[in-house]
Amino acid sequence: MCVEITTLTGAGVAPIVDGLARLRISVFRDFPYLYAGDRAYEARYIGDFVAIPGAAVVAATDGGKLVGAATCAPLAGEVAAFRKPFEDAGMDVSRFCYFGESVLDPAYRGLGIGHRFFDGREAHARALGLDYATFCAVIRPEEHPMRPAGYSPLDAFWTKRGYGKVDGLVGRFSWTDIGAEAETDKPMQFWTRAL
């Protein structure tokens, strides 16, 4: 494996859009997201993301193939579902960089790429002059019927990176779960850190 990590912006994102859609559908199918996946939705979602001024994708490629990606964009440019919890709490969204998905082919996990994704996004946020980084993670009950035995959330990894949950800073986002007929709202816990 010879993984190359690059930060892409603007038109530079176009060549990886299909690969990013594929990875999002594949990785988010697993617990805790259980995302059923929809190519049409992915095309809209990624298109809207790329249009945000200051958006970036930290891409991991191996031999030219996209094997992982992590996104970020100024929170002020993100959709209302991500901004609203901050606005409701009286927080200045113009000071935050929102870290979206971080998706990685399972064959490439455990190689430090997750850290490199955070390093790249944090560097991009600093270059934009933003003061804080934030992301959110779905909240699923401990007794969820699709929770795999031995499942371990990424909380310890995020904490080591300096992120912490913000009490009460919970958003809502909708998608269709595997086996479901329609989208349902999911609670999303926000984590933040100062840059």
Side-chain angles (χ1 to χ4, degrees):
M1 287 184 206
C2 183
V3 178
E4 182 180 356
I5 307 289
T6 53
T7 299
L8 308 172
T9 59
V13 176
I16 66 155
V17 167
D18 287 342
L20 178 54
R22 175 186 49 80
L23 279 169
R24 278 178 43 87
I25 290 170
S26 171
V27 171
F28 287 147
R29 188 169 183 79
D30 293 338
F31 189 87
Y33 287 91
L34 305 173
Y35 173 52
D38 178 305
R39 293 292 269 192
Y41 172 83
E42 291 298 319
R44 284 191 311 276
Y45 172 86
I46 295 168
D48 290 346
F49 165 78
V50 172
I52 299 170
V57 178
V58 181
T61 55
D62 184 0
K65 178 186 177 189
L66 187 74
V67 297
T71 65
C72 65
L75 181 59
E78 273 289 359
V79 297
F82 296 126
R83 294 190 323 266
K84 186 174 182 344
F86 292 81
E87 293 166 343
D88 289 350
M91 300 167 83
D92 183 356
V93 295
S94 71
R95 301 180 68 193
F96 286 84
C97 189
Y98 175 71
F99 291 1
E101 54 277 311
S102 182
V103 290
L104 185 61
D105 183 307
Y108 292 82
R109 294 178 188 166
L111 303 174
I113 295 170
H115 282 291
R116 294 177 70 188
F117 282 166
F118 270 97
D119 291 343
R121 292 184 295 182
E122 289 166 3
H124 184 74
R126 287 185 190 101
L128 293 174
L130 300 171
D131 301 310
Y132 300 95
T134 189
F135 64 87
C136 59
V138 67
I139 301 168
R140 294 282 192 182
E142 290 285 327
E143 66 281 357
H144 192 285
M146 294 183 76
R147 183 185 181 97
Y151 170 76
S152 179
L154 294 172
D155 295 25
F157 172 75
W158 297 329
T159 300
K160 285 181 189 174
R161 292 287 316 187
Y163 291 83
K165 292 180 185 179
V166 180
D167 288 340
L169 199 61
V170 176
R172 310 236 14 123
F173 206 73
S174 295
W175 65 85
T176 304
D177 281 352
I178 296 168
E181 302 265 330
E183 289 186 0
T184 54
D185 265 357
K186 318 292 192 300
M188 306 288 286
Q189 172 66 57
F190 280 91
W191 295 62
T192 66
R193 70 161 282 186
L195 295 169

